[in-house]
């Protein structure tokens, strides 16, 4: 299935919002990336250089399998589960925030949406109990579970579906836990979703 819209949720884990000095939002904070940002979760990953820190944000990703209609549940519309990285040009983002400009330049550059293969969606109840993590050069730098999401999957589906629309091929990056950080040329990243490893990704800056 071709991927269509790429939605991302900002500040969906309280400890991550805190680590960047942001308030916890009162309703979901949604942004999107161009499909040109997609890159598989293995192989060489070229990231932009000369624009300051580029941070990893490991996130669970869900795929929509049918057209959303108001009131539908996650179990009715979600058909796939993956893990990915919402790459963020953090210094660029800081300037954009100060200027109150859109985040596209900091979040939507080429290769900024790393995505593993999809597996069948296990259901909203099982999704809630998943664990995921990110290793950088073999050391765990992030770990999380949807248990700690501020806006649970059900709320994300209804909010995004009612506000922007959701249909087959759309995907949602559901937010990152604490521990985001920068990378350097040659770093090797591995994503882990419920014990299954994806990668390695070799960073080229
Ligand atoms: Mg993110």
């Amino acid at each position: 299935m071709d991927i269509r819209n790429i939605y991302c949720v900002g500040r969906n884990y309280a400890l991550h919002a805190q680590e960047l000095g942001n308030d916890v939002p009162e309703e979901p904070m949604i942004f999107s990336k161009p499909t040109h940002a997609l890159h598989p979760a293995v192989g060489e990953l070229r990231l932009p250089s000369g624009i300051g820190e580029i941070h990893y944000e490991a996130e669970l990703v869900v795929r929509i399998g049918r057209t959303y209609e108001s009131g539908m549940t996650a179990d009715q519309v979600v058909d796939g589960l993956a893990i990915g990285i919402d790459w963020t040009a953090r210094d660029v983002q800081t300037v954009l925030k100060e200027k109150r400009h859109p985040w596209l330049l900091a979040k939507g550059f080429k290769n900024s949406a790393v995505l593993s293969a999809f597996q069948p969606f296990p259901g909203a109840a099982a999704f809630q109990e998943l664990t995921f993590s990110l290793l950088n050069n073999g050391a765990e730098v992030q770990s999380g579970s949807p248990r700690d999401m501020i806006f649970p999957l059900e709320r994300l589906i209804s909010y995004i579906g009612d506000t922007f629309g959701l249909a087959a091929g759309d995907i949602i990056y559901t937010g990152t836990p604490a521990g985001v950080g920068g990378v350097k040329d040659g770093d090797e990243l591995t994503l882990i979703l419920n014990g299954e490893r994806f990668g390695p990704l070799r960073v080229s800056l």
Side-chain angles (χ1 to χ4, degrees):
M1 187 190 300
D2 281 346
I3 290 172
R4 292 174 20 134
N5 296 293
I6 305 173
Y7 295 112
C8 306
V9 186
R11 303 176 194 168
N12 204 23
Y13 287 78
L15 293 178
H16 168 61
Q18 284 173 21
E19 75 181 342
L20 296 181
N22 293 313
D23 292 335
V24 171
E26 289 172 11
E27 62 179 18
M29 201 174 82
I30 309 300
F31 58 97
S32 67
K33 296 183 185 243
T35 49
H36 303 294
L38 289 166
H39 187 287
V42 65
E44 181 175 346
L45 179 77
R46 183 164 288 279
L47 293 173
S49 57
I51 60 168
E53 288 270 295
I54 310 288
H55 280 189
Y56 46 75
E57 296 188 359
E59 312 200 0
L60 293 181
V61 182
V62 296
R63 184 181 62 198
I64 305 302
R66 61 178 286 192
T67 301
Y68 169 87
E69 293 169 29
S70 197
M72 283 184 172
T73 64
D75 283 331
Q76 288 175 291
V77 298
V78 176
D79 81 340
L81 168 72
I83 185 168
I85 302 175
D86 162 22
W87 286 98
T88 304
R90 191 69 69 199
D91 294 337
V92 173
Q93 186 192 33
T94 300
V95 172
L96 295 175
K97 282 181 184 168
E98 286 167 4
K99 292 182 174 176
R100 299 179 176 269
H101 284 185
W103 285 8
L104 185 60
L105 200 56
K107 291 283 200 178
F109 52 85
K110 284 186 278 184
N111 301 336
S112 64
V114 161
L115 187 61
S116 77
F118 278 93
Q119 54 194 63
F121 182 62
F127 174 84
Q128 189 73 5
E129 302 304 318
L130 292 170
T131 59
F132 64 102
S133 57
L134 174 69
L135 312 183
N136 187 4
N137 299 320
E140 183 178 284
V141 287
Q142 284 193 280
S143 69
S145 167
R147 287 188 293 267
D148 297 322
M149 284 169 40
I150 295 167
F151 300 106
L153 185 61
E154 217 60 73
R155 178 83 195 282
L156 298 178
I157 295 294
S158 60
Y159 183 86
I160 297 171
D162 287 333
T163 308
F164 306 107
L166 282 171
D170 292 347
I171 64 173
I172 304 172
Y173 283 70
T174 58
T176 198
V180 301
V183 287
K184 59 187 188 310
D185 187 62
D187 279 352
E188 283 207 349
L189 302 177
T190 302
L191 289 157
I192 304 178
L193 168 54
N194 249 19
E196 186 178 351
R197 299 167 82 94
F198 298 90
L201 263 179
R202 190 171 177 283
V203 171
S204 171
L205 270 172

